[in-house]
């Protein structure tokens, strides 16, 4: 891999990581070297190990072998406070009346006693992130009743409140309609531009990846290929990753699964 | 009614335990743990039976210990086997009830006691239980409110909670221990069969009236208090078992909240 010029520090270093789930190998010696400040996409077919890899980075999945360093730290506990994580969805019971304001308040130490604090005080402490992500109008809504696109914006706002240096997103646009998906990637690009974050996102939408990612890893139990979107998103590389003929340019939201 | 010592004890127990059950109930329902609580309460029957077997007049200690054992067994089996959670709980629920009834049936003179434990009894609440309930309310209420953000985030998304630095496993275990103590202590008053309703119904009542979690928690505690204390008073008045009366009172409140909640939604829509 030729790292883009100007980046000599790595946000994510993964060396020879191996994971088996229930006796089936899912990751068979994965290496990643993600420079700081990039938007990096992990693409690959279902069952390729993308989400498992993300879970390994977050310490949610034990590895059988290999090393992981995040933000220059060998110990995940030291890196975690500087990491933001956006899951696919919350799977919140509709019976749980958590409002968006209360949910966002859970991220800040200053608002951890939200139960006793006034709404105006909480809004003040949440600050600019709310308007940056355009979730001001949603603050009184129950989180369980948000649409896919609204929820994703709330989840990003939640992550940004922790002032992360590294943002990890797991299939962020699953359950979001096409216009919502486009807006979502534009929001991510804007957040990346303003905050100079490193963004690692697991995605299945090749056209969006092509438009917004600066580096792409095609994963199928191992890293099949990596490079700039132009380098990776050609038919030969994708065939290698997906095992079938995939066209990166005529992909009008017909997801590759 | 209020001058009778047994009634004072029963009312105090309802006053301490019903808000605690209602508070935990908001999280129990959101985390889909109602069946879990049912399994723990039925597990208590085996503890009660063993207590009588050992000749104890008050089986509270073995009852709590056996409930904790059942809760621990559920968590261990969930983490170490590939059995479905429902299967594990059905196995332990039926197993401990069968074991409890077998032991009780071998003992002479305790068969009448079974009914009291199944449906709750005003006369059964001892002063030691009242003070334990008060201590439990103070300690658990304090812990829950001081760590409300942890518990809430854990309920919303365990993995996000982990990334935010919350000790997920430890908090989960503590929640189960808190739930077990509360359920086991409430059995004397409400009974094994009905104790889960003290967790679930107030939370559902509050859900109909709330727009956010703060309101959900406050209304749930209020609904729990009215259902628990009101039901205990009515049980005395009509000389019926305490558990069913508390549950019927709580269901009455739920129906009122359902109508009131609909009315509020309509007026907001207009």
């Amino acid at each position: 891999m030729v790292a883009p010029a100007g980046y000599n520090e790595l946000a994510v270093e993964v060396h020879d990581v191996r994971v088996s789930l229930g006796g089936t190998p899912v990751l068979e010696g994965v290496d990643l070297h993600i420079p700081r400040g990039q938007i990096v996409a992990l693409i690959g077919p279902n069952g390729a190990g993308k989400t498992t890899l993300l879970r390994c980075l977050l310490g949610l999945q034990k590895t059988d072998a290999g090393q992981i360093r995040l933000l220059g730290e060998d110990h995940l506990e030291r890196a975690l406070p500087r990491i933001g994580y956006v899951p696919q969805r919350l799977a919140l019971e509709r019976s749980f009346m958590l409002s968006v304001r209360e949910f966002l308040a859970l991220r800040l130490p200053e608002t951890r006693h939200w139960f006793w604090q006034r709404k105006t005080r909480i809004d003040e402490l949440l600050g600019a992130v709310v308007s940056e992500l355009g979730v001001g109008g949603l603050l009184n809504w129950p989180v369980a009743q948000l649409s896919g696109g609204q929820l994703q914006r709330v989840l990003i706002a939640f992550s940004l409140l922790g002032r992360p240096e590294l943002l990890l997103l797991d299939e962020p646009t699953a359950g979001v309609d096409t216009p919502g998906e486009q807006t979502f990637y534009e929001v991510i690009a804007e957040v990346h531009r303003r905050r100079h974050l490193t963004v690692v996102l697991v995605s299945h939408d090749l056209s969006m990846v092509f438009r917004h990612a600066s580096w792409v890893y095609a994963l199928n139990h191992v890293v099949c290929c990596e490079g700039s979107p132009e380098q990776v998103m050609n038919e030969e590389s994708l065939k290698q990753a997906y095992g079938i003929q995939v066209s990166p340019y005529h992909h009008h939201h017909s997801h590759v699964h | 009614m209020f001058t009778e010592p047994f009634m004072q004890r029963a009312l105090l127990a309802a006053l301490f335990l019903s808000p605690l059950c209602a508070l935990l109930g908001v999280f129990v329902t959101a985390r889909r743990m109602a069946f879990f609580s049912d399994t723990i309460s039925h597990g208590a029957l085996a503890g009660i039976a063993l207590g009588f077997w050992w000749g104890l007049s008050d089986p509270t200690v073995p009852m709590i210990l056996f409930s904790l054992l059942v809760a621990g067994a559920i968590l261990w089996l969930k983490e170490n086997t590939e059995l479905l959670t429902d299967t594990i709980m059905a196995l332990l629920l039926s197993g401990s009830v069968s074991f409890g009834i077998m032991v009780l049936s071998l003992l002479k003179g305790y068969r009448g006691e079974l009914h009291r434990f199944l449906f709750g009894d005003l006369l059964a609440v001892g002063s030691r239980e009242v003070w334990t309930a008060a201590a439990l309310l103070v300690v658990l209420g304090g812990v829950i409110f001081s760590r409300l953000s942890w518990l809430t985030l854990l309920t919303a998304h365990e993995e996000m909670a982990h990334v935010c630095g919350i000790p997920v496993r430890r908090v989960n275990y503590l929640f189960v221990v808190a739930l077990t103590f509360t359920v086991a202590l409430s059995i004397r008053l409400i009974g094994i069969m009905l104790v889960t309703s003290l967790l679930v119904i107030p939370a559902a009542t509050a859900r109909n009236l709330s727009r956010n979690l703060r309101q959900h928690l406050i209304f749930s505690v209020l609904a729990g208090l009215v259902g628990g204390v009101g039901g205990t008073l009515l049980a005395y008045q009509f000389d019926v078992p305490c558990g069913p009366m508390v549950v019927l009172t709580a269901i009455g409140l739920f129906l009122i909240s359902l109508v009131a909640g609909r009315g509020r939604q309509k007026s907001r829509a207009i």
Side-chain angles (χ1 to χ4, degrees), chain B residues 240-254:
Chain B
V240 289
C242 191
M245 202 65 233
V246 166
V247 172
L248 290 176
T249 313
I251 289 176
L253 287 175
F254 172 77

Side-chain angles (χ1 to χ4, degrees), chain A residues 55 58-60 76 80 83 85 87 89-99 102-103 106-107 111-119 140 142 145 155 158, chain B residues 26-27 29-32 82 145-153 155-160 162-165 203 206-207 210-218:
Chain A
R55 289 175 58 82
L58 291 165
L60 295 164
L76 180 69
L80 267 186
I83 296 174
Y85 165 57
R89 54 198 165 91
L90 280 186
L92 210 61
E93 275 282 296
R94 284 181 80 86
S95 68
F96 196 52
M97 293 304 284
L98 181 68
S99 71
E102 290 165 338
F103 176 63
L106 302 177
R107 187 65 188 98
T111 49
R112 70 177 180 276
H113 296 302
W114 53 269
F115 186 87
W116 311 103
Q117 287 172 317
R118 293 160 67 97
K119 279 183 187 177
N140 288 321
Q145 290 172 18
L155 290 174
F158 181 90
Chain B
V26 172
F27 297 98
T29 49
R31 306 181 78 191
R32 302 180 185 95
E82 292 191 359
F145 275 104
S146 70
R147 289 282 179 264
L148 194 57
S149 279
W150 283 15
L151 190 55
T152 308
L153 190 52
T155 305
H157 200 281
E158 283 203 2
E159 293 169 356
M160 283 182 91
H162 162 84
V163 175
C164 292
R207 161 73 175 80
S210 316
R211 290 182 203 164
N212 53 50
L213 186 58
R214 184 200 269 163
Q215 290 179 357
H216 196 177
L217 292 168
I218 293 171

Side-chain angles (χ1 to χ4, degrees), chain A residues 206-217:
Chain A
L206 300 184
S207 60
M208 292 294 175
V209 165
F210 188 78
R211 208 171 305 158
H212 296 286
S214 47
W215 202 259
V216 179
Y217 282 92

Side-chain angles (χ1 to χ4, degrees), chain A residues 38-90:
Chain A
Q38 301 267 302
I39 297 185
V40 175
L42 297 177
I43 61 166
N46 271 1
K50 307 185 295 289
T51 296
T52 304
L53 181 57
L54 207 67
R55 289 175 58 82
C56 290
L57 296 182
L58 291 165
L60 295 164
Q61 172 67 52
K62 280 188 181 159
T63 56
D64 299 336
Q67 288 95 43
I68 296 174
R69 267 167 75 92
L70 296 181
L71 301 167
E73 301 281 2
D74 283 321
H75 297 285
L76 180 69
E77 301 80 53
R78 268 188 259 162
L80 267 186
R82 293 147 66 198
I83 296 174
Y85 165 57
V86 178
Q88 280 184 30
R89 54 198 165 91
L90 280 186

Side-chain angles (χ1 to χ4, degrees), chain A residues 143-193:
Chain A
V143 176
Q145 290 172 18
L146 297 177
S147 72
Q150 289 168 334
L151 179 63
Q152 283 306 329
R153 274 189 289 145
V154 169
L155 290 174
I156 295 172
F158 181 90
S159 300
L160 293 183
L161 283 168
R163 299 179 176 278
E165 295 166 41
L166 171 64
L167 194 57
L168 302 173
L169 302 103
D170 185 10
E171 303 241 12
T173 54
V176 179
D177 56 13
T178 314
E181 202 170 350
Q182 191 162 342
T183 317
F184 174 82
Y185 281 104
E186 280 159 12
V187 167
I188 289 292
E190 182 62 20
V191 165
H192 170 256
R193 191 183 61 75

